[in-house]
Amino acid sequence: MSDLNHTEQLFKFEHFFELSPDLLCIAGFDGYLKKINPAVCKLLGYTSEELTSRPINDFVYPDDIAITIQSREGFSVDTPLLNFENRYLTKTGEVVWLSWTSMPVKSSQLIYAIAKNITHKKKLDDDRNRHLASLTKINHDLKQLSYTTSHDLRSPVGNLLTIMELIDTSKITDGETLEYFDLLRSATENLIQILNNSVDVLIKKDELNVLIEELSLSEHLNVVMRSIHSLIKNSNTTINIDFSEVDNIRYNEAYLESILLNLITNSIKYARPKVPAIISIYSRLEGNRTQLIVEDNGLGFDMEQVKDKIFGLHQKFHNHIDSKGLGLYLVYNHMNSLGGNITLESKVNEGAKFILSFKD
């Protein structure tokens, strides 16, 4: 290679060194920088002369000096140091995170290093960790609230049931009053069972072991419908049921009843004005998966508007005094936590069709 060609090659390498957005450094085994590119000066805010005239450790964040020295002492002959992370202080006192890849060359007593500014990544990681910590605390607090609420409510409900047992129903001569009394007692018994199941589910979630068993859709739908008998009757709701294609599924009992309860009460709650609710509940086999469909003739949803928000927490799409934005959120989480999924087909004033697909 001629001297001219050699000079041209050196110029190209120097050009690459100067223009690289990454931090390029050549340091000595003595702990001083020998050569740096402009990216180093730009990030740290020092001139090249300032950076090369003082030991490297003068610029390292104090808490990271020990581990930085330790990493250098661990250098062996021609063995690179990969993805080593430490913090530096800029001239203005700002802390920046750098990720280093370094190669020592013992013969020349030099270390060739490339660093990337990962400060933004560290901030994202910190934000994510804080968010996860916050969610963990919220989840813990909600769980404790659920425990407390379920536990505390069982006592007055149990007392109510005890009082009912003390009432001599043989002295009630009016048939309609006796029927209402029986419905009230049945609803109270169902409520205390729901409270017991709530605590059981929380305990099983803590054990990461939700009980899966063979369940009859028709039997558990009947349990739910008995618990809201008065609501169905007073709203003139018609419920059509067809589990002829498939009745048994492997699922969690409390989750199934919660799903049915929320979907049915939502259909009644969001019926069109002056149009009695008609709810169709049926099952089918779609390939190897069992599907449960709950369909109504109610207000429906504008799917372009609700999009993926429909199953979000505290999302409300209709004005109703009892709307809390929790029902569909619970249904969605019940389904997804056990490997299933739920989809919605709907049009405004043409009802809603929820399709629940259970895990194979």
Side-chain angles (χ1 to χ4, degrees):
M1 180 183 294
S2 68
D3 290 341
L4 180 59
N5 287 338
H6 181 68
T7 302
E8 288 176 352
Q9 291 296 325
L10 288 176
F11 174 77
K12 289 178 180 178
F13 287 132
E14 185 69 20
H15 198 55
F16 167 78
F17 189 87
E18 294 295 322
L19 293 179
S20 173
D22 290 330
L23 284 65
L24 306 181
C25 307
I26 301 174
F29 278 26
D30 60 359
Y32 282 79
L33 291 166
K34 305 301 181 181
K35 184 176 177 62
I36 55 176
N37 72 338
V40 180
C41 299
K42 182 178 180 180
L43 178 65
L44 298 182
Y46 293 97
T47 65
S48 178
E49 291 74 19
E50 288 174 319
L51 288 168
T52 56
S53 63
R54 291 161 53 185
I56 295 172
N57 288 342
D58 283 3
F59 306 102
V60 176
Y61 186 71
D63 290 352
D64 290 355
I65 290 176
I67 192 171
T68 301
I69 294 173
Q70 184 181 353
S71 71
R72 288 202 203 106
E73 292 173 347
F75 270 147
S76 60
V77 179
D78 297 330
T79 300
L81 178 68
L82 304 176
N83 303 318
F84 172 72
E85 297 178 358
N86 66 353
R87 289 168 288 182
Y88 277 69
L89 284 172
T90 69
K91 195 168 185 175
T92 59
E94 182 184 356
V95 178
V96 293
W97 276 94
L98 300 178
S99 176
W100 294 91
T101 296
S102 307
M103 172 64 78
V105 180
K106 189 174 182 180
S107 60
S108 60
Q109 295 288 289
L110 294 174
I111 301 168
Y112 296 85
I114 301 174
K116 289 184 178 293
N117 182 2
I118 59 169
T119 307
H120 67 290
K121 178 179 178 295
K122 287 294 184 179
K123 287 181 178 178
L124 287 174
D125 288 344
D126 288 344
D127 288 344
R128 182 192 62 188
N129 291 335
R130 280 195 295 270
H131 187 56
L132 286 174
S134 176
L135 287 176
T136 300
K137 183 179 184 304
I138 291 171
N139 183 60
H140 173 76
D141 292 345
L142 287 173
K143 190 180 295 181
Q144 291 304 117
L145 177 62
S146 297
Y147 274 126
T148 303
T149 303
S150 297
H151 178 270
D152 292 350
L153 281 176
R154 281 187 296 177
S155 295
V157 174
N159 288 336
L160 180 59
L161 200 58
T162 301
I163 292 171
M164 288 182 177
E165 294 297 331
L166 295 175
I167 296 175
D168 185 358
T169 55
S170 65
K171 295 181 180 180
I172 301 176
T173 57
D174 182 67
E176 187 176 2
T177 301
L178 185 60
E179 180 184 354
Y180 283 134
F181 181 82
D182 288 339
L183 287 172
L184 180 60
R185 177 164 52 191
S186 175
T188 305
E189 289 173 346
N190 186 69
L191 177 57
I192 199 166
Q193 184 61 48
I194 289 173
L195 292 172
N196 288 334
N197 288 343
S198 297
V199 174
D200 290 343
V201 168
L202 286 170
I203 292 171
K204 287 166 184 171
K205 273 194 171 182
D206 281 342
E207 296 172 349
L208 299 178
N209 181 27
V210 177
L211 177 64
I212 305 297
E213 55 187 328
E214 193 82 12
L215 302 175
S216 165
L217 290 171
S218 54
E219 287 181 12
H220 290 281
L221 176 59
N222 285 334
V223 170
V224 171
M225 289 176 62
R226 283 198 301 270
S227 71
I228 55 173
H229 172 82
S230 296
L231 175 63
I232 295 171
K233 182 178 179 181
N234 293 336
S235 62
N236 294 320
T237 297
T238 300
I239 299 182
N240 301 313
I241 303 165
D242 183 2
F243 295 139
S244 59
E245 188 165 341
V246 54
D247 185 51
N248 291 338
I249 62 169
R250 289 191 56 77
Y251 203 63
N252 176 266
E253 179 181 342
Y255 282 12
L256 178 60
E257 292 184 5
S258 175
I259 288 168
L260 291 167
L261 180 65
N262 277 289
L263 292 180
I264 294 171
T265 53
N266 268 10
S267 292
I268 297 173
K269 186 188 302 181
Y270 301 117
R272 282 179 287 161
K274 299 181 181 180
V275 179
I278 300 175
I279 306 172
S280 298
I281 305 174
Y282 56 97
S283 61
R284 68 187 181 197
L285 283 173
E286 189 70 20
N288 294 325
R289 304 192 81 175
T290 297
Q291 291 186 332
L292 174 66
I293 293 86
V294 179
E295 191 172 357
D296 64 49
N297 64 333
L299 292 171
F301 300 91
D302 182 342
M303 296 304 294
E304 283 298 316
Q305 180 183 351
V306 303
K307 293 184 179 178
D308 57 348
K309 297 185 293 184
I310 187 68
F311 299 111
L313 180 61
H314 298 311
Q315 296 291 330
K316 302 177 185 179
F317 306 101
H318 302 298
N319 292 323
H320 194 286
I321 191 171
D322 292 330
S323 179
K324 304 296 182 184
L326 293 173
L328 293 182
Y329 173 79
L330 288 174
V331 172
Y332 177 84
N333 280 277
H334 288 334
M335 290 301 298
N336 280 268
S337 65
L338 295 184
N341 65 70
I342 178 171
T343 57
L344 169 63
E345 298 174 3
S346 183
K347 290 183 179 179
V348 175
N349 289 325
E350 293 186 19
K353 180 179 182 180
F354 292 93
I355 303 171
L356 298 89
S357 300
F358 296 91
K359 184 179 178 182
D360 295 349

